[in-house]
C-alpha cells in the first residue's frame, strides 16, 4: 500500500489542479479574472462553500446539484478534475519522481486548458500559451543549469518551436494556395511553437501529421456517429492530443522505425 503512496498523492494533486484548470477554462474565455474570489453557482450566484468545493467528491455527494438552488452542476467539473488526475498519473508513470516531472505536469495542464477552450470557443487564449511557454522556457533554463547544458537546452527549445511554426506555415500556405481559405488561425501557430518547443524539432514534425490524422478521425466521429455537423473545426484539441501521445514515445524508436 505504501508503495502506491506517490501515485495516490500525484492523483489527488491532479484533482486539485484540475479544479483550478476548470476555473481557467470557464473564466478565461469570459474575460473574468482568475483570482476573482471563490467560485459561485452560475444559476443562483451563491458562493460555493469550501466544503462543497472538494474535487469530484463534492459533486458526487451533492448528487450533481447546487446545495442552494438544486440546479444541476455541469458534469464538466468532475470530468475536468478526473481527467487532470489521470493525466498527472500517466505522466508520473513516464517520468517518475525526476527533475523532468514538474515541466511535464505543467505541459499537460496547458494541453487540457487549450483543448477545452479551443473546442468550445474556437480560440486559443494568448495568456494561456504565454504563461505555458514562459514556464517551460524557465524549466529548461533551470534544467540546463543542473546539467551544465543551458545553451543546448534553450537552443533545442527554440529550434523545436521554430520547426513547429515552420511545418504549420508550410501547410497554411499549401491550404491557402489550394482553397483560397485560411486553414489555421494565429492561435494554431503559437500553439505549434509551444508544443514544438517542449517536444523538440523531430517530434514537432511528427506532431503535425499525427494531429491531422486525429483531427480527421474526430471529424468523422462527429459526422458519422454523432450526426453532428461541425461548422468551425478547431485544430487545437487534435494538436494537444497528438502532443500528449508523443510525450510517451521515444524519438530514437521513431527514427529506428523509419530507417
Ligand atoms: Zn445554485
Amino acid at each position: 500500500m505504501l508503495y502506491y503512496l506517490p501515485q495516490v498523492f500525484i492523483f489527488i494533486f491532479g484533482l486539485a489542479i484540475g479544479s483550478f484548470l476548470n476555473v481557467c477554462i470557464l473564466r478565461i474565455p469570459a474575460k473574468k479574472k482568475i483570482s476573482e474570489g471563490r467560485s459561485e453557482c452560475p444559476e443562483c450566484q451563491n458562493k460555493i462553500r469550501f466544503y462543497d468545493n472538494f474535487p469530484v467528491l463534492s459533486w458526487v455527494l451533492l448528487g450533481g446539484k447546487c446545495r442552494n438552488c438544486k440546479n444541476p452542476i455541469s458534469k464538466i467539473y468532475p470530468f475536468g478534475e478526473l481527467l487532470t488526475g489521470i493525466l498527472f498519473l500517466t505522466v508520473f508513470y513516464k517520468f517518475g519522481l525526476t527533475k523532468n516531472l514538474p515541466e511535464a505536469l505543467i505541459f499537460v495542464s496547458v494541453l487540457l486548458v487549450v483543448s477545452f477552450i479551443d473546442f468550445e470557443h474556437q480560440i486559443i487564449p494568448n495568456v494561456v500559451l504565454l504563461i505555458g511557454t514562459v514556464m517551460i522556457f524557465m524549466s529548461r533554463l533551470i534544467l540546463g543549469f543542473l546539467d551544465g547544458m543551458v545553451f543546448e537546452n534553450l537552443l533545442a527549445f527554440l529550434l523545436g518551436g521554430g520547426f513547429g511554426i515552420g511545418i504549420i506555415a508550410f501547410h497554411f500556405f499549401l491550404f491557402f494556395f489550394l482553397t483560397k481559405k485560411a486553414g489555421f488561425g494565429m492561435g494554431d501557430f503559437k500553439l505549434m511553437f509551444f508544443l514544438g518547443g517542449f517536444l523538440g524539432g523531430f517530434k514537432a514534425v511528427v506532431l503535425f501529421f499525427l494531429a491531422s490524422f486525429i483531427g480527421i478521425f474526430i471529424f468523422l466521429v462527429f459526422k458519422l456517429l454523432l450526426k453532428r455537423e461541425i461548422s468551425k473545426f478547431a485544430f487545437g484539441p487534435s494538436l494537444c492530443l497528438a502532443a500528449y501521445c508523443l510525450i510517451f514515445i521515444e524519438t530514437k524508436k521513431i527514427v529506428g522505425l523509419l530507417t
Side-chain angles (χ1 to χ4, degrees):
M1 186 60 211
L2 216 57
Y3 176 77
Y4 289 106
L5 207 61
Q7 280 88 338
V8 172
F9 176 78
I10 207 88
F11 182 69
I12 293 173
F13 180 59
L15 294 181
I17 295 292
S19 220
F20 169 71
L21 300 181
N22 276 340
V23 174
C24 294
I25 290 164
L26 288 163
R27 288 190 185 176
I28 290 172
K31 305 253 184 282
K32 285 188 194 162
K33 280 201 182 109
I34 300 295
S35 55
E36 212 175 57
R38 291 212 315 277
S39 307
E40 52 188 33
C41 167
E43 293 297 327
C44 66
Q45 272 81 43
N46 217 52
K47 289 261 184 268
I48 295 163
R49 295 176 186 88
F50 76 92
Y51 52 80
D52 284 343
N53 219 353
F54 286 105
V56 186
L57 197 66
S58 292
W59 190 86
V60 173
L61 289 176
L62 290 167
K65 292 190 182 80
C66 170
R67 186 186 286 278
N68 189 48
C69 66
K70 306 288 175 212
N71 272 306
I73 305 169
S74 172
K75 285 188 190 73
I76 290 291
Y77 293 94
F79 179 69
E81 287 156 358
L82 267 180
L83 192 58
T84 312
I86 293 165
L87 290 178
F88 275 30
L89 209 52
T90 53
V91 165
F92 179 76
Y93 273 104
K94 164 74 185 172
F95 293 99
L97 278 175
T98 60
K99 57 186 190 302
N100 295 93
L101 181 64
E103 67 164 30
L105 296 180
I106 294 168
F107 186 66
V108 291
S109 300
V110 174
L111 295 184
L112 187 97
V113 173
V114 167
S115 304
F116 272 63
I117 295 180
D118 196 19
F119 187 78
E120 197 63 30
H121 306 276
Q122 287 84 42
I123 49 158
I124 301 174
N126 281 329
V127 61
V128 180
L129 284 184
L130 185 68
I131 293 172
T133 306
V134 168
M135 284 175 95
I136 298 298
F137 193 82
M138 292 303 288
S139 164
R140 291 292 153 94
L141 196 65
I142 295 166
L143 292 177
F145 273 115
L146 293 175
D147 302 335
M149 298 210 297
V150 177
F151 180 72
E152 290 85 345
N153 268 7
L154 297 186
L155 186 67
F157 181 86
L158 293 175
L159 276 178
F163 263 90
I165 296 228
I167 188 133
I168 196 167
F170 175 77
H171 287 89
F172 178 87
F173 288 118
L174 187 68
F175 193 82
F176 189 77
F177 180 72
L178 295 172
T179 65
K180 297 279 175 279
K181 281 185 205 150
F184 309 102
M186 269 316 284
D188 295 321
F189 281 79
K190 294 171 201 162
L191 180 60
M192 276 300 281
F193 179 81
F194 171 73
L195 301 176
F198 180 88
L199 293 168
F202 183 73
K203 281 189 183 178
V205 178
V206 179
L207 169 77
F208 187 86
F209 291 101
L210 185 58
S212 303
F213 283 117
I214 292 173
I216 292 166
F217 180 74
I218 295 175
F219 185 79
L220 290 177
V221 166
F222 266 80
K223 206 173 161 68
L224 301 176
L225 292 180
L226 304 171
K227 306 258 181 267
R228 266 175 67 182
E229 200 70 50
I230 339 178
S231 52
K232 276 187 159 183
F233 187 74
F235 193 47
S238 306
L239 280 175
C240 289
L241 190 56
Y244 173 72
C245 296
L246 285 176
I247 294 174
F248 302 94
I249 294 167
E250 303 291 338
T251 306
K252 272 177 259 163
K253 286 193 182 148
I254 311 179
V255 176
L257 283 173
L258 293 174
T259 51

